[in-house]
Amino acid sequence: MNPAKPQPRSPMLRTAAALLCVLAISGCSTIRGWFGGDDDEVNTTDPAALADFVPSATVDRIWTAGAGKGERRIGAGQSPAVADGRVYAAALTGGVRAFDLQTGATVWHHDSDLPLSGGPGVGDGLVVAGSLEGDVLALDAASGAERWRAKVGNEVIAAPAIGQGLVVVRSNDGHVSAFDAASGERRWFWVRDLPALTVRGNDAPVLGPGYVFVGNDDGTVIAIGLADGRPIWDQAVGEPDGRTDLERMADVDGSPVLDDVVLYASSYKRQTMAIEAPSGRPLWASDRGGSGRVGLAADRLVVADPAGTVWALDKNGGTALWQQDALARRGLSSAAVHDGHAVVGDLDGYVHWLRLENGELAARVRAGRAAIKGSPVVADGILVVQNVKGDLSAYRLGQ
């Protein structure tokens, strides 16, 4: 969570608030016996046990690699980036690495002392990552050589967006900064005030022709003009309603997804919206959603909600096509779409494939024993995940 500057409170109030946030947000189990409960009762805050099923898909792990020391508990949700047959990954300790997408062989390694908390963005011949100290590091995508560095005023835990001559960086204080891709000179910045409480984490801005689209911690999506940083429109996806700051959390933490002229975004308030990208006009809204990215298929979207239910929504109207509840409270990552399947990672390092047509569990593998918080990435039929220890795993679905 990212609290705004709080007023001084008594130690008792601070303790009570911290306990409430831990129980409500982190998904930690309550301690049995505090209130005289039956030790044999099922604890409904525990992650759902994984049930056996008959797989309908075969998963082949084609390689594994290490990106360096991962982000562990900082809530960054680091993901790799894939472009031109390479996988790029950053780490808190160990810098940035490029791997061959097909084999996992290391192409180059840029060592750095910077705590690179934001997963890398890639584009226009650059790989760019941000740090917990507000550094922005731009590297040559072909060789890993440093091109330039810049600084923003707060930690960067989201991948930068690169294109149209700019590098757009979202920092954790609500600022969006645009840098010249060639020189690193800052062109403009825009800022959104943060709510009192937010979900820990945010995701990359998304570029469109002449625009950048950003999901905000207050439940809105905004379109900003790339030329001058001027806001064009903003649209509420999740309304921050409720009596307490906790109830009002409505973050849009996942990158909006642009499909032609339609932008799809989802919020912590379990609301998903389709928006006409040039105008900001809502096309439809659904009361199923989550703060992460949506997975995009030809005729449907896939989204994991905060309770661990995975939903498929009709792309044209938002109607729920199916739901899968078997992964309840398993701290699911954003959803991706991989060869006719929806894919999510979980808090124990499992990767789950669900049949896109009906939501049935199709396959499961374990990519190590650390949580997968970042979004799975799919390119050329290969799915790549990165866990919080910095380990990468790549998979194909068998024929």
Side-chain angles (χ1 to χ4, degrees), residues 86-104:
R86 291 182 178 179
V87 178
Y88 301 95
L92 278 186
T93 302
V96 183
R97 289 172 167 84
F99 304 93
D100 183 89
L101 174 61
Q102 301 294 329
T103 66

Side-chain angles (χ1 to χ4, degrees), residues 39-346:
D39 286 344
D40 294 330
E41 291 178 358
V42 175
N43 191 333
T44 57
T45 64
D46 285 340
L50 295 178
D52 293 334
F53 63 93
V54 178
S56 59
T58 302
V59 178
D60 298 322
R61 186 169 69 179
I62 58 176
W63 55 264
T64 61
K69 183 180 178 181
E71 48 104 349
R72 294 280 183 163
R73 301 178 184 273
I74 68 172
Q78 287 176 307
S79 293
V82 181
D84 301 322
R86 291 182 178 179
V87 178
Y88 301 95
L92 278 186
T93 302
V96 183
R97 289 172 167 84
F99 304 93
D100 183 89
L101 174 61
Q102 301 294 329
T103 66
T106 299
V107 178
W108 54 255
H109 173 210
H110 179 93
D111 198 10
S112 175
D113 293 332
L114 299 176
L116 298 175
S117 49
V122 60
D124 290 355
L126 289 178
V127 177
V128 186
S131 84
L132 286 176
E133 298 169 352
D135 304 282
V136 180
L137 175 66
L139 308 175
D140 183 86
S143 66
E146 183 173 330
R147 290 273 198 90
W148 50 262
R149 292 191 190 196
K151 197 81 170 177
V152 294
N154 204 285
E155 61 183 353
V156 179
I157 61 174
I162 308 166
Q164 302 175 60
L166 293 175
V167 174
V168 182
V169 179
R170 177 183 179 178
S171 52
N172 214 33
D173 55 0
H175 282 71
V176 177
S177 303
F179 299 90
D180 184 276
S183 66
E185 178 184 358
R186 190 167 73 175
R187 293 280 190 84
W188 53 258
F189 75 91
W190 171 87
V191 64
R192 181 73 132 206
D193 290 337
L194 297 179
L197 287 178
T198 72
V199 178
R200 171 67 169 170
N202 35 63
D203 209 344
V206 173
L207 297 178
Y211 300 88
V212 59
F213 304 101
V214 181
N216 298 306
D217 291 339
D218 61 3
T220 62
V221 171
I222 189 165
I224 302 171
L226 278 177
D228 55 10
R230 181 173 58 90
I232 307 299
W233 55 256
D234 69 49
Q235 174 62 52
V237 177
E239 294 288 350
D241 56 355
R243 298 179 59 186
T244 68
D245 290 335
L246 195 64
E247 291 172 340
R248 286 192 291 271
M249 289 196 305
D251 304 51
V252 177
D253 274 350
S255 297
V257 176
L258 184 62
D259 183 34
D260 194 11
V261 296
V262 179
L263 193 72
Y264 299 98
S266 198
S267 84
Y268 185 76
K269 277 291 190 183
R270 308 189 189 203
Q271 295 164 321
T272 300
M273 183 175 285
I275 303 167
E276 186 179 72
S279 68
R281 180 174 65 92
L283 300 176
W284 57 255
S286 168
D287 60 0
R288 286 98 173 182
S291 60
R293 297 183 200 179
V294 300
L296 183 66
D299 64 345
R300 63 196 61 196
L301 312 174
V302 183
V303 61
D305 73 19
T309 298
V310 182
W311 297 88
L313 306 179
D314 178 72
K315 194 172 165 182
N316 295 316
T319 303
L321 302 176
W322 52 255
Q323 69 182 83
Q324 174 55 263
D325 301 315
L327 306 177
R329 303 175 302 281
R330 295 197 62 84
L332 300 183
S333 71
S334 297
V337 173
H338 183 211
D339 287 353
H341 295 79
V343 187
V344 291
D346 77 11

